[in-house]
Amino acid sequence: MSNLRYWRKDLIANSMMGFLGIEILPSKDENVVEARMPLDYKVAQPFGVLSGGASLAMAEIVAGCGSFILCDAKQIPVGSNVSGTHIASVKIGEQKYIYAHGVCLHKGRSTHLWNMDIATEDGKLISTVRVTNFLVEDKFDDKPEVRDEELKALEEDNQQDATLEKLSN
């Protein structure tokens, strides 16, 4: 099992996963990962449809979570390749969420290959994506006090942003 110190709510909230509102859903199969993401203007193109980049970001993040669950405590997954095909568009407001369903096609010692399908609530396929993750030695959190200081600064920035938004309305 992977190192759970990264699976903290504060770290997730201040990451791309938190910004996009991605939630991992329960799965009984360790080789399957599922998630949902709110379909709102944060993930839209200016003309009101889901951005293909948001679909790719969702696929990479969710595949990374799947690999993270499969890693041992001394490894972390890092994205190596993301390749997707967009099948259909979806307008903001037509659905509340979009869903990712991923299957680990290859679970090696140093790489994982995932097939990720992004679909609407009613099962309409939006995008299909292949994600390759490298499994690397965890060297990124050797100074947790630095990370905590970065999180504190992010929280202060978020509070300032919220204050500015209130003032501008």
Side-chain angles (χ1 to χ4, degrees):
M1 174 57 124
S2 59
N3 194 328
L4 294 179
R5 67 181 162 176
Y6 295 113
W7 210 250
R8 291 180 10 204
K9 284 185 181 183
D10 60 334
L11 295 179
I12 292 170
N14 287 302
S15 70
M16 178 74 91
M17 184 177 174
F19 176 77
L20 295 175
I22 296 172
E23 300 171 61
I24 301 299
L25 303 173
S27 174
K28 293 180 181 180
D29 183 344
E30 72 174 11
N31 293 310
V32 172
V33 64
E34 296 183 319
R36 69 181 187 175
M37 179 173 74
L39 187 57
D40 58 23
Y41 282 96
K42 191 173 6 179
V43 298
Q45 294 183 14
F47 40 89
V49 299
L50 175 66
S51 168
S55 295
L56 293 175
M58 181 185 195
E60 183 177 15
I61 289 165
V62 176
C65 290
S67 286
F68 182 79
I69 291 165
L70 297 173
C71 286
D72 69 32
K74 295 180 183 176
Q75 293 179 313
I76 56 170
V78 293
S80 162
N81 187 46
V82 179
S83 177
T85 301
H86 304 301
I87 309 297
S89 63
V90 60
K91 286 184 176 181
I92 304 306
E94 285 182 351
Q95 307 274 318
K96 189 171 181 180
Y97 292 97
I98 58 172
Y99 290 82
H101 175 83
V103 177
C104 187
L105 302 175
H106 168 74
K107 185 170 72 171
R109 286 178 289 150
S110 60
T111 59
H112 290 166
L113 175 64
W114 289 86
N115 187 74
M116 305 295 302
D117 286 337
I118 310 296
T120 61
E121 291 174 320
D122 55 3
K124 175 180 150 189
L125 185 64
I126 300 168
S127 300
T128 186
V129 184
R130 286 285 173 105
V131 179
T132 304
N133 289 322
F134 285 144
L135 309 180
V136 299
E137 181 183 348
D138 181 4
K139 298 178 183 176
F140 294 98
D141 199 22
D142 57 351
K143 296 185 174 118
E145 67 280 356
V146 173
R147 181 118 181 162
D148 289 342
E149 287 298 317
E150 290 172 355
L151 284 173
K152 191 175 183 181
L154 272 172
E155 288 173 11
E156 290 171 3
D157 287 347
N158 289 342
Q159 288 174 352
Q160 288 175 345
D161 290 346
T163 301
L164 289 173
E165 190 173 314
K166 284 179 186 175
L167 291 173
S168 66
N169 289 332

